[in-house]
Amino acid sequence: MTWLDLPDDHPFGLHNLPYGVFSVGPDGEHRVGVRVGDHVLDLAACAERAGMESAAVWRDGSLDAFLAEGRPAWTAARDWLQEHLANEAQRDCVEPDLVPVRDVTMHLPFAVADYVDFYASEHHASNVGRMFRPDSEPLTPNWRHLPIGYHGRAGTVVVSGTDVVRPTGQRKPPSEPTPTFGPSTRLDIEAELGFVVGGATALGDRVAVADADDHLFGVVLLNDWSARDLQAWEYVPLGPFLGKSFATSVGPWVVTTDALRAARVPLPGQDPEPLPYLQGDGAYGLDIHVEVEWNGTVVSRPEFRDMYWSPAQMLAHLTVNGATVRPGDLFGSGTISGPEPRQRGCFLELTWSGRDAVTLDDGSERTFLEDGDTVVLRATAPGPDARPVGFGECVGTVRPAR
Ligand code: MN
C-alpha cells in the first residue's frame, strides 16, 4: 500500500506500471504516460518537475526515444517511478501529473519500425495445417526446427479502438474454377501477444537467446485481423500478404518485461532439441492468460504458456542472419491456441473453418465476423506475490467494406 491507496490486487499497481501514449481529449497533445491504478502519470511533466535530467526522452509524445535508450535506462526509469510512487515524501511532486484514465484517449505508443508475425503455437499451426492441407502432415517439416514467421505491414498497425474496415480482394474456393473479387466473407481475428523491441544492433550482428532480454522492452495485446478467403488463395508460395496487411490492432499499454518476471515459466518442451543458436537461458515461456470476447461473449481463453517457441528464440531467429534490430520493431507471437477447443485463439479454429457456429450470449450464431461485430482481447499475468499484472484491452469493431 502506498499514498496512492491502491488495493494490493489492482492489475495496475506499482508492480506493473505499463507505458502508453495519451491525450486529454481526442485532439489533445500526445503525452507519454504510465498507468498507475485508475490514473495515468504524465511522465515528461512529472520528470521535469522532479528535475530529472533524462526527462527529455519523454517529451516527444512517443516512446520512440525511450525505446532507443536500451535496458539500463528502462531499469533506471522503473526504479525511479516505483520510488516516487511509493514514497509519501514524493507525493507533491507526482500527484499534480496524475490524470484520471477515464479522461484520456490512448494513441499508438511508438512508431512501429519493422513488424514481423510468428506462428509459435503448435496447437494453432497443427489445426490450421489440418484445415488448409488435409492431405498432408499437419506441421510442415521445418516447424519444430525454427520459429516460422513472415514480414507484415508496420504502417497498418493501429491502436486499440481503431475501427477495422472489411478488406476486399481476390479469393478462389477450391470448388470454383476461377477467382472472384469482393469484400472478404471469412474475416477472422488472431489473439496474440506482440513483443516490443528496443535498443539497436549493427547490420550483420545477431542477438543471442541469452541476450534477448536486453532488447525485449515489453509486451502488448495484439490482434492480427485475417481475411481467410484472401489468405487461402494467395499464401502459396510466399506466405500471407493482403489477407493480413489491412490492419493489426495493438493494445494501448506496453507491459514491461520487468513487470513479467514472476510470470516466467519453462517452455512446454521442445523435441527435437533446437539448434544451438536457439538455446540459452533466455528461452523461457510466459504465464499469461488471454481472453477473447466476441460481441460481449467470452468465446475463448488461450494460455500463452502453451506456446512452443519462446519470445527470446523468436528474436534470436529473426536476427540470426544478421538482420538489424531497430527501436520500435514489433513481433507477434502468432495465434495463441491451447489443446482444448475453448482455448483456440482464432475463429477459423474455434468454428473449424466455419463448420461449427459459435453461439453468443444474445442467442446469435457466428462463424466469421459480421459488419458491426466487436472483438475485445484482454490478458493478465501473475506478478510478484501473485498480484495480477493487467494488459488492459485491445478492441476493434468491423466496419463495412468500402
Ligand atoms: Mn498472426
Side-chain angles (χ1 to χ4, degrees), residues 115 117-118 150 190 192 224 226 244 334-335:
Y115 167 54
D117 196 25
F118 282 96
Y150 67 93
E190 293 193 338
E192 307 191 16
D224 174 24
S226 299
K244 300 275 196 176
T335 307

Side-chain angles (χ1 to χ4, degrees), residues 121 123-124 127 290 292 299-303 306 335-346 349-350:
S121 161
H123 303 285
H124 172 70
N127 285 335
V290 180
V292 181
V299 294
S300 178
R301 296 183 194 276
E303 293 288 345
D306 289 329
T335 307
I336 309 160
S337 289
E340 302 300 325
R342 286 298 169 139
Q343 294 178 323
R344 294 173 182 162
C346 69
E349 285 175 87
L350 262 181

Side-chain angles (χ1 to χ4, degrees), residues 16-34:
N16 188 353
L17 301 179
Y19 292 87
V21 168
F22 72 99
S23 60
V24 180
D27 301 319
E29 184 190 8
H30 289 203
R31 311 284 299 176
V32 174
V34 162

